[in-house]
Amino acid sequence: MAKPKVFVIYYSTYGHVHTLAQSISKGVLKSGDVDVEIYQFPETLSDDALEKMHAAPKANIPTIDVDKLTEADGVLIGFPTRFGTAPAQVKTFFDATGHLWSTGALLGKCAGLFFSTGAQHGGQESTAYSFLPHLTHHGIIYVPLGYPSPYMFENDAIVGGSAWGAGVIAGPDGSLQPTYKELEIAEIQGEKFAEVVRKMHATPDSTAAAAAGGKTAETAAAPAAPAEKQPAAASAPADAAAGNAPTANPPAQAPKKDNPIRRLLNKFKKAF
């Protein structure tokens, strides 16, 4: 069976989110059970505008196409804040996913978020929170980071990131670079996200086989039927004489129809 696939997709103006994306990808690959591909969101600004902003040169990483999203089992999306929300480049990309929404092409996929802000109070939580409607309307399952790292509890140093996802504090002028603590938090997020995607990607056949194996073991260890049920067998001849002979096996029930919503809920339960 093919490994589940995670896309790490980011937009970066000054390179901070690009650096986080590298650590995120490293974490995704850590277990060896999940494959990863890394992409950039397409740029919407002109070269002239980017030059005036003193933006960093783009990394040699391919840009993502909207239809490519359907190939991923999970996506980790990173971007710098723009007044507590996603930048126009990311919004423009998702504005073009209407045909995927209309067909439910992204329903049940997983997503996590990571980000960059200029200050501690510049949107380390609101940037992720305000992006959730994009995921919700597609039926994408948001996977938060939580607090898996002790660095996230420190108060004596500036550390980016929150329960919503990994983050970096870039400074008002973008001069601060990601610290080793922020990069470690990002790597942990990639690792934890990969675990969830792997569990969600478990096939129904393998799950059913495991369940069947458990039932067999339970049946073998089950105690004998209690003696009180024996008189019912003794009355069988009388029932037969009256034309009501019991059948050896009850009639098989019709198989339940496949329900995609129920299947999605079952996968979600197994992941958590």
Side-chain angles (χ1 to χ4, degrees), residues 153-208:
F153 295 93
E154 289 192 3
N155 294 312
D156 57 350
I158 297 176
V159 181
S162 68
W164 297 84
V168 59
I169 308 296
D173 59 355
S175 61
L176 298 180
Q177 295 303 311
T179 66
Y180 73 91
K181 295 179 181 179
E182 292 168 335
L183 295 179
E184 182 172 314
I185 292 170
E187 186 174 333
I188 291 173
Q189 181 177 8
E191 182 180 4
K192 297 300 182 183
F193 184 80
E195 291 177 5
V196 173
V197 171
R198 179 179 55 79
K199 292 176 183 177
M200 294 288 283
H201 192 258
T203 61
D205 291 341
S206 62
T207 304

Side-chain angles (χ1 to χ4, degrees), residues 5-7 68-75 109:
K5 186 182 297 183
V6 169
F7 286 178
K68 187 79 173 174
L69 288 176
T70 60
E71 300 177 16
D73 298 292
V75 289
K109 295 184 184 295

